[in-house]
Amino acid sequence: MVGLVVVSHSRTAAEGIAEVAAEMGGDTVIEPVGGDGQGGLGTVADAIADAIEAADDGDGVVVLVDLGSAVMNAEVAIELSGVDAVIADAPVLEGAVNAAVAATSPTATLESVREQAEAARDVNKR
Amino acid sequence: MADEATERAAVLDAIERIATRIERERSALTELDSAIGDADHGGNMARGWRAAADAVADLDDPDPATMVKTAGKTLLSEVGGASGPLYGGSLVFASTALDDGITAETAVAFAETYLEKVQDRGDASVGDKTMVDALVPAVHTFKKSIEVDDLPPAEALAKAVDAAERGVEFTVPIRAAKGRASYLGWRSVGHQDPGATSTLFIMEELLAAAQAELDTEIEAVDATSPTVPEEEAAED
């Protein structure tokens, strides 16, 4: 099953987003990660790499990210982890919910889950 | 090319000098970053480089490539933010250029690979008000000084530091197009870029280490050649 990682500058935000996505995601593994490792805001590549490895059961991982350096650190983390992982170019919460739902499909692939996450870019609020 | 022990001493000295310098500049960097960023550059970099210097000092009988790679990996895990992948990730990537030791040729390859990775990772070009504004002129000057002007590496590095310094000055009047500062738009004008500044500090310390460690080695090798060009000596 495709796994998910939610990366935010705020560890609390990442946990909250994972919590919302899990409500729709059945058995999908969703790993939240964030913070600078010193109790402050930020992202650290090593920590993201650990989360990617924890979320992977062999079918790959879709990574949702928030702002700026989260993207860069997620890219480095993917290189470090050696897991088949991709970053979804999507809003982090809506993307995580979409991806969690898509991952529950019996025919889900890394690409189909990423596509569904990225479809969240077009979600209108009203 | 210097022998292995000299290279090892030079790399260790360089990283220790960088860590000490960044610690000393910690509040200056933080001040620059508080004007147009999130005010964490000084603290993050000081913590990261201190950890990197300690990690490299702990290595057992390492070669220069392993030392640089270890420093990069430590920065990656300690610095975080954008500086972790930009400084640390690029060092890890470029370290393989030093697999055959430190020569003028491998130093150019190292500098070019580092620059390439920074630009690729940060997706930044000259004029975006980032560390790239210091790095591009520095690396180009270094390469030209060695390959075209045939200068010794330490002299080429001195020219590169000059170029980086002008690059840092260039970041002051321009508007940020990348990174956190770009959210500020025109309000970023008039502020010096923190990443370009720390890049300059690092290069200044590399130069100091090269002059202290490698130049003495080069002079020792050249001790038999005349120190005054013959024409000038004849005029005396």
Side-chain angles (χ1 to χ4, degrees):
Chain A
M1 192 169 189
V2 174
L4 302 182
V5 167
V6 176
V7 184
S8 171
H9 276 61
S10 158
R11 164 100 206 159
T12 318
E15 283 168 356
I17 290 163
E19 188 187 0
V20 174
E23 206 172 32
M24 302 287 287
D27 295 333
T28 310
V29 177
I30 309 173
E31 288 286 332
V33 58
D36 65 356
Q38 320 277 319
L41 297 178
T43 55
V44 180
D46 271 6
I48 301 172
D50 290 346
I52 289 172
E53 278 161 21
D56 182 44
D57 70 358
D59 290 337
V61 173
V62 174
V63 183
L64 284 303
V65 295
D66 66 357
L67 305 166
S69 63
V71 181
M72 252 186 256
N73 274 313
E75 284 172 358
V76 175
I78 289 171
E79 288 165 22
L80 288 174
S81 70
V83 170
D84 193 12
V86 292
I87 297 173
D89 185 5
V92 57
L93 186 139
E94 291 85 343
V97 173
N98 269 14
V101 175
T104 60
S105 158
T107 59
T109 63
L110 191 58
E111 265 318 299
S112 74
V113 174
R114 168 160 73 175
E115 272 171 30
Q116 277 311 301
E118 294 185 346
R121 283 185 295 192
D122 301 326
V123 171
N124 291 320
K125 303 288 175 180
R126 52 176 296 175
Chain B
M1 157 179 179
D3 63 44
E4 242 176 68
T6 308
E7 284 185 355
R8 196 175 304 151
V11 176
L12 191 59
D13 182 43
I15 295 173
E16 181 55 42
R17 280 173 196 264
I18 292 167
T20 306
R21 176 73 185 276
I22 297 288
E23 269 160 11
R24 199 163 74 234
E25 307 279 5
R26 184 191 178 118
S27 43
L29 289 174
T30 293
E31 209 171 296
L32 291 177
D33 196 29
S34 64
I36 55 171
D38 49 5
D40 64 357
H41 194 54
N44 282 351
M45 287 285 278
R47 188 180 65 244
W49 280 100
R50 175 40 54 205
D54 292 348
V56 172
D58 281 347
L59 289 173
D60 231 13
D61 204 31
D63 55 279
T66 306
M67 296 168 88
V68 173
K69 190 176 190 180
T70 302
K73 280 193 164 172
T74 311
L75 292 177
L76 207 45
S77 61
E78 290 292 325
V79 177
S83 298
L86 287 173
Y87 288 84
S90 305
L91 273 189
V92 171
F93 192 74
S95 65
T96 54
L98 302 175
D99 276 345
D100 296 326
I102 304 172
T103 63
E105 202 180 27
T106 62
V108 169
F110 172 79
E112 285 190 301
T113 313
Y114 181 87
L115 170 63
E116 201 177 293
K117 196 67 183 178
V118 167
Q119 286 203 274
D120 180 41
R121 185 78 75 198
D123 193 26
S125 316
V126 166
D128 286 344
K129 200 181 182 97
T130 69
M131 63 176 75
V132 168
D133 290 325
L135 266 181
V136 164
V139 173
H140 288 187
T141 301
F142 187 60
K143 184 180 164 72
K144 177 185 173 288
S145 299
I146 285 181
E147 293 181 356
V148 180
D149 302 334
D150 209 21
L151 294 180
E155 259 179 67
L157 188 52
K159 295 230 179 255
V161 168
D162 271 349
E165 204 171 338
R166 286 195 297 277
V168 169
E169 284 161 18
F170 169 70
T171 65
V172 177
I174 61 178
R175 174 181 171 167
K178 284 285 166 190
R180 191 74 66 106
S182 65
Y183 291 107
L184 295 174
W186 288 108
R187 279 163 54 212
S188 66
V189 168
H191 298 284
Q192 185 174 312
D193 183 66
T197 307
S198 57
T199 295
L200 172 64
F201 292 158
I202 289 167
M203 289 191 57
E204 285 176 346
E205 297 310 314
L206 276 183
L207 175 62
Q211 284 171 339
E213 303 287 333
L214 295 174
D215 251 8
T216 50
E217 181 80 8
I218 290 163
E219 274 167 23
V221 170
D222 288 342
T224 50
S225 57
T227 49
V228 183
E230 280 178 33
E231 280 174 39
E232 282 177 40
E235 282 169 18
D236 282 342

